Amino acid sequence: MYKLIDKLERKFGKFAIPGLMKYIVIIEIISAFIGIVNPFIYYKYFALDFSAVFSGQIWRLVTFVFCPELTELDFFDILMFAIMVYLYYVIGNSLERMWGSFRFNIYYLSGLLLGIIAGLIMYIFTGYPFWSVGFEYINMSLILAFACMYPDQEFYLYFLLPVKAKWIGILDAVLLTVEVIQYLAIGTLQAYAMAFAVIISMANFILFFFAGFKRGAYKSMKRKAQFKKEVTPKVMPLYRHRCAICGRTERDDPDLEFRYCTKCNGNYEYCADHIFTHEHVK
């Protein structure tokens, strides 16, 4: 699978969207504005409702991403929204630097595609729309991937309490598992479809393990380090002569004379004060 992704990157990598997360943040802000003005606008015109899609409103296959996570002008809610958006932005950019733009695009956009599939499954088995299919699950999958890549990276919860990424990832996984179990415990067809839809919408995280993203990340880092080493220009010394004993150069004393010693094994240069008094290198 890794070789396939690598081949696709060589062929289509030029079409990757660099800095994808900044566009996601813009969409999140627009979504919050829609939610504050009137959240019913989203559900009436933009949400992933396949009954409307099959009636010709195909734009919903794209506009569903504008799902509002903020619905009122409450200071605490706005603060939490800003913190979460910033957290996703930092995590997404870190993963993009690690994987490269093409692989990160695949990870994120495949999550959105799986969200559409989840919505279709929900509609086929129950006839109901799958509302929770904006950026909710794809952003949660970012946290899981980041926790695997940077388990010891610390975040400051509420800017005070340091928490390692691995614990945030574990909490994220537990919450998702509990959500699925709760749906299964209800026991209705709609609940089963909802549980399955949640699992499908998170399935892009499987790419992280089986498409060699982690392996590819380390290879990419190695290539970048090697490239940087090869293209970094060597810094030339700011002097031409340097005494092997005292370390003085012509910059320390323009009148100081230097000589190479023919009795030393190697190219050793000495100042006038040490040319005759040094111990020969054998």
Side-chain angles (χ1 to χ4, degrees):
M1 188 66 176
Y2 170 76
K3 292 182 179 179
L4 174 61
I5 298 294
D6 200 38
K7 185 181 295 184
L8 290 174
E9 183 176 13
R10 289 195 298 268
K11 190 172 183 179
F12 302 107
K14 60 183 178 182
F15 299 110
I17 304 172
L20 178 63
M21 284 308 298
K22 65 183 177 184
Y23 301 108
I24 302 301
V25 168
I26 292 173
I27 293 175
E28 291 273 22
I29 294 173
I30 295 174
S31 304
F33 178 76
I34 293 173
I36 292 172
V37 172
N38 187 350
F40 294 102
I41 294 176
Y42 170 78
Y43 295 108
K44 187 174 182 179
Y45 299 107
F46 300 147
L48 190 61
D49 184 347
F50 272 93
S51 61
V53 171
F54 292 144
S55 298
Q57 299 180 18
I58 59 174
W59 63 81
R60 291 175 179 265
L61 295 174
V62 177
T63 59
F64 75 90
V65 298
F66 289 94
C67 182
E69 297 184 19
L70 191 64
T71 57
E72 58 183 22
L73 284 174
D74 180 80
F75 175 77
F76 182 78
D77 290 343
I78 293 175
L79 178 61
M80 291 299 98
F81 172 77
I83 292 175
M84 289 307 297
V85 169
Y86 176 73
L87 177 64
Y88 293 141
Y89 178 76
V90 171
I91 288 175
N93 282 339
S94 298
L95 292 175
E96 182 174 356
R97 285 194 296 269
M98 174 67 79
W99 291 338
S101 296
F102 183 78
R103 280 179 169 78
F104 181 71
N105 280 197
I106 288 180
Y107 187 83
Y108 204 97
L109 298 179
S110 65
L112 296 180
L113 178 60
L114 289 168
I116 295 175
I117 295 174
L120 180 60
I121 292 172
M122 186 72 177
Y123 177 75
I124 291 173
F125 284 95
T126 68
Y128 293 100
F130 182 43
W131 301 121
S132 302
V133 73
F135 289 139
E136 178 183 357
Y137 292 109
I138 177 62
N139 285 340
M140 293 181 79
S141 73
L142 288 182
I143 295 177
L144 291 174
F146 185 87
C148 289
M149 298 300 300
Y150 305 96
D152 295 322
Q153 177 67 45
E154 287 189 345
F155 293 95
Y156 284 87
L157 189 63
Y158 300 110
F159 303 104
L160 295 173
L161 182 64
V163 180
K164 289 187 176 181
K166 61 184 177 183
W167 299 118
I168 299 177
I170 291 172
L171 177 62
D172 198 13
V174 169
L175 292 176
L176 283 169
T177 302
V178 170
E179 183 177 355
V180 171
I181 292 175
Q182 287 177 337
Y183 284 128
L184 295 176
I186 295 174
T188 64
L189 178 61
Q190 181 180 354
Y192 286 142
M194 189 70 180
F196 187 63
V198 171
I199 294 172
I200 289 296
S201 63
M202 286 290 296
N204 68 317
F205 182 63
I206 298 175
L207 286 173
F208 177 76
F209 291 102
F210 295 101
F213 275 40
K214 191 168 186 177
R215 172 187 164 198
Y218 291 128
K219 283 193 172 184
S220 177
M221 290 178 65
K222 185 177 179 180
R223 288 197 303 268
K224 289 179 180 179
Q226 183 65 26
F227 176 78
K228 185 176 180 181
K229 182 179 179 181
E230 291 175 356
V231 302
T232 301
K234 296 182 179 180
V235 179
M236 299 300 294
L238 300 178
Y239 53 83
R240 295 181 60 187
H241 305 285
R242 184 176 184 273
C243 179
I245 300 298
C246 65
R248 288 187 298 174
T249 69
E250 72 273 14
R251 294 177 62 87
D252 298 311
D253 185 354
D255 298 326
L256 191 62
E257 294 185 359
F258 296 86
R259 295 287 186 274
Y260 285 98
C261 179
T262 57
K263 296 182 179 180
C264 287
N265 186 17
N267 295 324
Y268 289 92
E269 190 175 18
Y270 302 93
C271 65
D273 296 333
H274 296 103
I275 184 64
F276 299 111
T277 59
H278 70 275
E279 182 177 350
H280 298 299
V281 179
K282 302 296 183 181

